[in-house]
Amino acid sequence: MAKNGPRPQPGILDISPYVPGESNVPGGVKPIKLSSNETPLGASPRAVAAFKAEADQLDRYPDGAATALRGAIGKLYGLDPARIVCGSGSDELINLIAHAYIGPGDEAVYSEHGFLMYKIATLACGGKPVSVPERKYTADVDAILSRVGPRTKVVFLANPNNPTGTYLAHGEVRRLQQGLPPGTLLVLDAAYAEYVRRNDYEAGLELVATTENTVMTRTFSKIYGLAALRLGWAYCPADVADVLNRTRGPFNVTSPALAAGVAALEDRAHIEHALAHNEKWLPWVAAEIGKLGLEVTPSVGNFVLIHFASPQAAVAADEALKARGIILRRVAAYGLPNCLRMTIGTEDDNHKVVAALASFLGRS
Ligand SMILES: Cc1ncc(COP(=O)(O)O)c(C=O)c1O
């Protein structure tokens, strides 16, 4: 940086930029990309058609209030659309929340292997990221509460968490909320909520409806297959919605994204299909990789965390898979250097990963 040049705010240069999942493998072959928890089934054809239909109106600004999409979300979940805020991916909502509630010297708490954006967003505001140890790769409510102090402005909880795939039952999340001071905001990041099939899971609707300091964020990037469009939403207490609406860009979500989002929500058959696919292949992948002698953390999302004997073994496995055109995700940046994360793919993808791992381990 130039000696007398412009200086960013404190904290900014402490950020290690987010490294997205890789998309390419050597040799120019089309890779099997299982590095970003994208759906293997693509977007709903109805969403694609709605996206294309917007091409004739690219000269017009979008509806900055996202009226139709908030209405559609409200109808689906029985929510007040006035308390829904849409964003350019849930990443934008996480950043908006951080910028509105975390200032220099304030703290934001999250769990040890929590989603990386929490640390980045906190540092970007001059805040202090506080990472709390987990138990069995799962957020630990007591440990989180023990680190919450007068400077804690936000607690971020990905539920289920990426990259571990573990979750907290509703009773635990409620206990966390009840242990927080009223001035600390609990952000429940439910990016993978649609995949969860557990009776004791609740994405956050109930807590947002009944408390003043809980926000739930959701995304269209995962089960809805619209990652390229950058579309997410938050369900908030009225005061928080008001704050986010003051600080977001007036046209923060594009018209094609809004239109595709509405159509994607309406295509329930597509979502049911994606869910059924995951319900079939998540346990299969976990079991088959387990049979190879590798530990797999039990997951309720659309991905699994695979444990290797050492960081070197994880890197070697990653390289061996890449040589076969398969891209998983290294997760050393999450404090998991021994692990790789694999998104559940198509039937064919899943078989190829298991075969490649077997070959890497000398089992084939
Ligand atoms: C836990 C979690 N939260 C948020 C996001 C960001 O999603 P979006 O594409 O909506 O920005 C991701 C994406 O990987 C995620 O895993």
Side-chain angles (χ1 to χ4, degrees):
M1 187 168 295
K3 197 157 163 255
N4 297 317
R7 296 256 142 206
Q9 291 293 311
I12 306 276
L13 295 180
D14 297 329
I15 296 173
S16 307
Y18 184 85
V19 180
E22 289 179 66
S23 316
N24 298 309
V25 286
V29 290
K30 186 171 181 292
I32 296 173
K33 182 178 183 297
L34 304 174
S35 57
S36 299
N37 297 343
E38 297 144 333
T39 173
L41 303 184
S44 151
R46 286 163 64 175
V48 176
F51 170 83
K52 286 184 178 160
E54 289 298 312
D56 292 338
Q57 304 178 61
L58 297 185
D59 53 327
R60 299 286 176 212
Y61 278 99
D63 169 16
T67 315
L69 181 59
R70 288 188 302 109
I73 295 168
K75 193 168 148 214
L76 180 63
Y77 291 103
L79 306 178
D80 176 5
R83 292 172 55 179
I84 296 169
V85 180
C86 295
S88 176
S90 46
D91 277 349
E92 186 195 20
L93 295 160
I94 291 166
N95 274 309
L96 285 171
I97 291 166
H99 277 95
Y101 291 96
I102 302 168
D106 291 335
E107 295 178 358
V109 173
Y110 52 87
S111 67
E112 188 181 0
H113 306 300
F115 184 48
L116 272 182
M117 281 308 299
Y118 311 147
K119 182 177 182 184
I120 294 175
T122 303
L123 285 169
C125 305
K128 187 175 159 212
V130 178
S131 162
V132 178
E134 299 186 355
R135 287 172 64 186
K136 296 187 184 162
Y137 302 101
T138 307
D140 177 342
V141 169
D142 294 308
I144 291 174
L145 289 176
S146 76
R147 298 299 302 274
V148 169
R151 301 237 57 169
T152 310
K153 294 294 163 63
V154 178
V155 172
F156 290 105
L157 179 75
N159 198 29
N161 185 48
N162 167 22
T164 53
T166 56
Y167 78 107
L168 286 187
H170 184 45
E172 280 296 274
V173 181
R174 194 189 292 120
R175 198 163 72 77
L176 173 60
Q177 192 282 330
Q178 285 172 349
L180 294 178
T184 299
L185 188 64
L186 174 61
V187 178
L188 298 175
D189 175 347
Y192 301 94
E194 290 84 0
Y195 286 107
V196 185
R197 280 290 178 258
R198 292 288 188 282
N199 289 335
D200 59 359
Y201 175 76
E202 210 277 312
L205 297 171
E206 196 254 343
L207 276 179
V208 180
T210 55
T211 70
E212 297 294 321
N213 63 338
T214 311
V215 170
M216 174 189 68
T217 59
R218 303 287 285 258
T219 183
F220 282 85
S221 300
K222 306 302 174 182
I223 204 164
Y224 288 101
L226 296 177
L229 294 185
R230 313 304 304 123
L231 186 60
W233 57 280
Y235 178 46
C236 317
D239 288 348
V240 177
D242 175 52
V243 165
L244 300 184
N245 280 324
R246 286 169 194 260
T247 56
R248 69 179 173 82
F251 306 106
N252 60 329
V253 182
T254 67
S255 309
L258 292 171
V262 171
L265 280 180
E266 285 169 354
D267 192 350
R268 299 320 297 170
H270 188 73
I271 300 308
E272 290 305 324
H273 180 42
L275 191 53
H277 179 86
N278 201 60
E279 280 191 331
K280 176 171 181 189
W281 290 103
L282 175 72
W284 185 88
V285 164
E288 292 299 314
I289 295 177
K291 282 184 208 162
L292 298 175
L294 297 172
E295 186 192 330
V296 178
T297 302
S299 169
V300 296
N302 67 333
F303 54 91
V304 288
L305 186 69
I306 308 167
H307 299 253
F308 294 85
S310 65
Q312 294 77 7
V315 169
D318 189 38
E319 294 299 332
L321 265 62
K322 264 196 211 128
R324 291 173 171 240
I326 299 167
I327 310 178
L328 304 192
R329 181 66 159 266
R330 289 192 194 174
V331 283
Y334 287 88
L336 296 163
N338 288 16
C339 300
L340 296 176
R341 191 194 68 197
M342 170 193 168
T343 306
I344 302 303
T346 62
E347 173 172 359
D348 193 42
D349 297 343
N350 299 331
H351 278 282
K352 283 186 173 141
V353 174
V354 171
L357 281 173
S359 156
F360 168 74
L361 296 165
R363 299 247 184 156
S364 61

